[in-house]
Amino acid sequence: MSFFSPFADLVDGLGDVLEPVAGTASTAAAIVLFTAFVRLLVLPLSRAAARGQKARTRLAPQVAALRKKYKKNPDRLRKATLELYAAEKVSPFSGILPSLCQLPAFFLMYHLFASAEIGGAPNTLLGHSLFAAPLGDRWKDALADGGVFGAHGQVYLVLFAVVVAVAGYNYRRTKRQLAGAAAAAGPGGEAEALPGMGAMNKIAPLMSFMTLFTVGFVPLAAGLYVVTTTLWTAVERTLLHREEPAAVPAAA
């Protein structure tokens, strides 16, 4: 028995339980259920990240005041800003923790549906599919089997459409959040106070669109995990940030 055998049995068992309801898509439904379970485990970190975002918005005027005070001393500015966050028990990078903690689950799903054998035995999970698309196949296999609009390819078109819709929503929401934070903190804001924040703020709105490439290159089962967790994230952030306070704009 390998390390992955119990997880393969878990997904297989969940598929058997869901078969009366989901039919031939029971294993795909089991992956969605597995993803939801992982997200519930990560929920405390997501809530902490939301609290951190609200706290950073609230502290933006103080960060702006520090930037004005230490505008000729960047090192002192960074130190003072980090000290302020530490005193308020706020991590400027707390938002990435939920994503980092999900990586093991993603790689687990990738391995389960990318391996011909698990524990020295044939991988029976590869015999399952989502409608016409085998869960172990990739988009290139769909293109080779009927093309973009073939039965196999249509499953990917639906997943891509979901990803684009969620990515567009996340893009607009993230841009609004960053614009609000920048207005509160004044020119430069956290980007000047903390190394790397400027680049992160530029990349953050586009990160959801990277999911398209992931779904296109990984086994369908792993892509289904990514699409499910991306959709979950969009709903979760909307709920957790719905009462986000507006920061007082910093003085010019």
Side-chain angles (χ1 to χ4, degrees), residues 179-211:
E190 282 184 312
E192 291 182 3
L194 296 172
M197 287 301 294
M200 182 180 295
N201 288 346
K202 292 179 180 179
I203 295 173
L206 301 173
M207 289 302 293
S208 291
F209 290 101
M210 297 299 294
T211 306

Side-chain angles (χ1 to χ4, degrees), residues 53 56-57 60 175-186 189-190 201 244 247:
Q53 177 62 45
R56 288 193 295 275
T57 301
K175 289 286 284 186
R176 287 197 302 268
Q177 289 178 334
L178 293 177
E190 282 184 312
N201 288 346
E244 189 166 297

